[in-house]
Amino acid sequence: VQLQASGGGLVQAGGSLRLSCAASGRTFTIYGLGWFRQTPGKEREVVAAMNWASFSTYYADSVKGRFTISGDISKNTVYLQMNSLKPEDTAVYYCAAANTLATVKMSPQYWGQGTLVTVSS
């Protein structure tokens, strides 16, 4: 499975961005899709994840109510809509995939390349 992330950029605090992640290859093997982020010197952390068959979702407390993960299985694409962005949301964002929601949160099997999100104050 290959993952291609896009949509990062520079935005002012309070603004919005939407990240996209297109999956290709043996996509029938994956049901868990997720977004992680990482800043220099910190561990990569899960931001949001979903099972795109059951539509179950998970959100980190820091983004609940501001970020929304969604997926279009017909396009093999998962999205992260980020609203009310804060400077502390600045990070490199990575999409990830695994066979289950639980697995993608803890130990993804596949990673996309990162896309930088910068939120200015």
Side-chain angles (χ1 to χ4, degrees):
V1 174
Q2 295 79 44
L3 303 172
Q4 181 72 39
S6 61
L10 173 64
V11 64
Q12 288 189 329
S16 299
L17 276 177
R18 189 176 82 156
L19 306 182
S20 300
C21 178
S24 60
R26 296 171 61 87
T27 57
F28 59 87
T29 65
I30 59 172
Y31 290 93
L33 286 303
W35 289 95
F36 289 68
R37 66 186 181 188
Q38 188 171 26
T39 55
K42 292 190 176 181
E43 295 280 331
R44 194 173 296 186
E45 61 174 359
V46 59
V47 173
M50 71 176 297
N51 179 310
W52 65 2
S54 69
F55 304 108
S56 299
T57 57
Y58 163 84
Y59 293 96
D61 287 343
S62 58
V63 306
K64 280 181 182 176
R66 301 188 299 120
F67 290 11
T68 303
I69 188 170
S70 62
D72 186 337
I73 198 168
S74 67
K75 297 181 179 179
N76 288 331
T77 301
V78 63
Y79 306 96
L80 185 68
Q81 178 66 43
M82 304 184 294
N83 298 329
S84 302
L85 282 160
K86 305 175 182 179
E88 51 264 43
D89 294 318
T90 295
V92 177
Y93 284 72
Y94 298 87
C95 60
N99 55 344
T100 69
L101 174 57
T103 305
V104 77
K105 288 166 53 183
M106 299 300 295
S107 183
Q109 296 164 276
Y110 307 100
W111 290 97
Q113 89 290 0
T115 184
L116 178 62
V117 172
T118 304
V119 184
S120 62
S121 57

